[in-house]
Amino acid sequence: MEKVTCFRNIGELIQMQSSGDVPRLARKTRCALLVSQGRVTRVIRESEVHRQDFFKVIDLQGRSVLPGLVDCHTHLIHAGDRKDEMDLRMAGASYMEIHQNGGGILNTVKATRQATEEELYDRARLRVRRMMALGTTAFEIKSGYGLDLDTEKKMLRVGQRLRKNLRVPITLTYLGAHAAPKGKTIDQYFEFVMEHLPEFRNLADGVDIFCEKGVFTAAHLRRLFLHAKLVGFHQLRAHVDQLSHQGGCYNAARMGAISCDHLEHITPHDIRALYLSGTTAVLMPGATFFLGGKKIPPVHALIEAGVTIALATGCNPGSSPSCNMQTVLGLAQSMYRITPAQALIAATYGSARALDSHKDFGGLLPGQRADFMVLKTDDHRDLFYCFGENFVESTYSAGRKVKDEKDPVF
Ligand code: NIG
């Protein structure tokens, strides 16, 4: 007999339904979620529960149940911190000035090179435990704090170990083109990245590049993407037009990027390119907020143009040291002036789409992974209304409980 677990007595169940490419938040009340072999099989009315036999029944006591949050842009494997930069910024230095003076990303590169693989694993695992306690059930991790072969590979091996041991969906991205290491020009280092790209094919699912004034250009992006395609990478991502307009978004979209990330400085021309290529726009309000940025991406123009938007923490030690997707939801609502439903769709369906996994998870629909969070309340809007609190009581991955608020994670 098929072993079906019944999660009963659900106060409200939120699912992300998508007909074609337009997702919609659907809400059901007084129902039960049936799960078998880690996947959702069906949703039934609470009144129907007693008529059937189940392998296991779990009473969710009238709580709100939502698809797990998907964090499609993180740099969560790293060592060290950059707390000193907060004072530098308040004294007037910009993010790029700190970088150009040898700090910023290069500080994290130094610490990450020095850390052992075991140390990196332990630190990353602790971050992942916190993320799960906060409702995240799938995420992406980039390399990019090695800028040499040994450390970039070390980071990606840590990512592979996390994926194997935690048994949650993790997408790995090779971000060799994050900055040039000390002692090399951008062009010298870029040639090095191009030469060694094939060595990363079995370590990562995709590639990424930081296209920005003083870092890599749109021409570098085009060459990297072309080479990556030839080598066999399918997922092309790019940090683009974050601090200035460099044409990164337009070029990445035209080259078939699966996601373009940041986008504070994009133009209507870029939005059109995103729409035509079906590229997901990944937005990180936490990074704008933490750096005190005044410019936010043209979120409403993106939505009106039919571009799928995704939300992510961007979790990294420099521009967004938080791994809390609930904070991102709150920031998105107030900074972007979007509704709770729009923010939730972006943080589940949208983010899963940025990882090319929207058929597999993100909607809590029949056939999809049973990745979900149970809130402490019966109304999902509390996530937005009482901002700043953790409303996740427990988190489930493929139907198994992975985090509970009683677990000591902080
Ligand atoms: O996504 N902008 C480039 N990369 C990261 C920040 C990396 C860092 O500052 O360590 C980002 O914001």
Side-chain angles (χ1 to χ4, degrees):
M1 195 182 87
E2 197 189 3
K3 289 184 175 172
V4 176
T5 300
C6 172
F7 293 89
R8 65 163 296 190
N9 200 5
I10 294 176
E12 70 163 9
L13 176 75
I14 303 296
Q15 294 171 301
M16 301 303 163
Q17 286 177 342
S18 55
S19 58
D21 259 1
V22 186
R24 189 177 65 81
L25 184 146
R27 178 175 179 271
K28 294 191 175 90
T29 54
R30 305 276 305 138
C31 58
L33 184 73
L34 307 189
V35 173
S36 174
Q37 296 182 332
R39 305 230 157 221
V40 176
T41 55
R42 222 150 54 92
V43 176
I44 58 172
R45 283 198 296 275
E46 180 60 25
S47 56
E48 292 175 89
V49 169
H50 71 277
R51 292 196 214 130
Q52 300 181 38
D53 272 345
F54 298 108
F55 171 67
K56 203 168 164 189
V57 177
I58 296 172
D59 187 339
L60 295 182
Q61 301 177 345
R63 304 285 205 265
S64 174
V65 171
L66 288 91
L69 300 168
V70 181
D71 194 349
C72 61
H73 181 140
T74 87
H75 304 250
L76 69 87
I77 298 173
H78 61 262
D81 67 58
R82 308 234 293 272
K83 292 174 194 165
D84 293 346
E85 288 177 19
M86 294 190 284
D87 287 348
L88 295 176
R89 273 200 304 277
M90 292 313 131
S94 71
Y95 176 84
M96 276 319 273
E97 279 161 359
I98 295 170
H99 174 71
Q100 271 145 7
N101 288 328
I105 292 174
L106 296 180
N107 257 334
T108 307
V109 168
K110 195 168 161 207
T112 306
R113 283 181 179 177
Q114 281 165 1
T116 65
E117 198 160 322
E118 212 48 41
E119 282 161 3
L120 285 180
Y121 178 81
D122 289 344
R123 291 175 70 116
R125 191 165 188 283
L126 191 63
R127 277 183 203 115
V128 171
R129 280 169 59 81
R130 283 163 54 192
M131 286 161 67
M132 287 180 163
L134 295 162
T136 299
T137 50
F139 48 93
E140 184 256 13
I141 311 175
K142 302 175 197 299
S143 68
Y145 291 129
L147 312 183
D148 62 19
L149 289 182
D150 283 355
T151 319
E152 289 293 319
K153 289 179 182 173
K154 178 171 75 176
M155 292 181 73
L156 291 167
R157 281 196 304 273
V158 169
Q160 295 208 327
R161 225 173 116 195
L162 288 169
R163 178 150 70 185
K164 182 163 170 268
N165 294 348
L166 299 174
R167 291 185 292 137
V168 295
I170 300 178
T171 298
L172 296 172
T173 307
Y174 172 50
L175 176 57
H178 198 191
K182 278 199 176 112
K184 282 202 171 118
T185 64
I186 283 285
D187 283 328
Q188 283 167 346
Y189 177 62
F190 183 74
E191 295 310 325
F192 171 85
V193 170
M194 291 285 277
E195 184 187 337
H196 294 280
L197 195 59
E199 294 171 45
F200 289 87
R201 183 60 200 97
N202 295 325
L203 284 167
D205 307 298
V207 298
D208 198 339
I209 180 168
F210 183 21
C211 182
E212 184 54 66
K213 195 172 180 183
V215 197
F216 298 97
T217 63
H220 289 128
L221 182 150
R222 282 197 304 272
R223 279 188 61 203
L224 180 77
F225 278 13
L226 197 57
H227 191 32
K229 283 188 203 176
L230 292 173
V231 168
F233 284 104
H234 301 297
Q235 298 198 1
L236 310 175
R237 314 180 178 283
H239 292 62
V240 284
D241 303 317
Q242 177 186 8
L243 306 167
S244 60
H245 187 256
Q246 296 296 317
C249 173
Y250 181 79
N251 280 280
R254 291 291 303 263
M255 298 281 296
I258 189 163
S259 81
C260 280
D261 304 27
H262 287 296
L263 308 178
E264 277 80 350
H265 291 265
I266 55 170
T267 64
H269 186 55
D270 303 325
I271 294 174
R272 184 91 189 126
L274 287 171
Y275 171 72
L276 291 175
S277 58
T279 304
T280 299
V282 176
L283 310 174
M284 286 161 283
T288 314
F289 172 78
F290 187 69
L291 293 182
K294 301 272 178 292
K295 193 144 174 65
I296 62 162
V299 183
H300 288 275
L302 284 163
I303 295 171
E304 275 153 31
V307 176
T308 299
I309 60 162
L311 288 171
T313 60
C315 175
N316 75 79
S319 70
S320 184
S322 169
C323 57
N324 188 343
M325 281 293 284
Q326 289 180 60
T327 305
V328 167
L329 287 174
L331 289 176
Q333 186 204 14
S334 60
M335 288 167 64
Y336 299 163
R337 314 302 299 166
I338 58 177
T339 65
Q342 285 173 315
L344 273 170
I345 291 167
T348 54
Y349 169 86
S351 282
R353 194 170 183 275
L355 301 179
D356 198 20
S357 298
H358 52 296
K359 299 220 162 48
D360 196 31
F361 55 79
L364 204 51
L365 298 170
Q368 293 192 341
R369 286 177 62 95
D371 292 352
F372 58 92
M373 51 183 182
V374 181
L375 299 191
K376 294 170 190 170
T377 81
D378 61 0
D379 187 342
H380 67 281
R381 293 172 306 173
D382 283 329
L383 282 170
F384 298 84
Y385 194 55
C386 305
F387 63 92
E389 279 182 53
N390 175 18
F391 272 98
V392 173
E393 185 173 77
S394 47
T395 308
Y396 288 80
S397 173
R400 100 199 127 91
K401 194 189 257 191
V402 285
K403 282 312 302 172
D404 191 297
E405 68 162 348
K406 292 177 211 89
D407 294 348
V409 284
F410 292 103

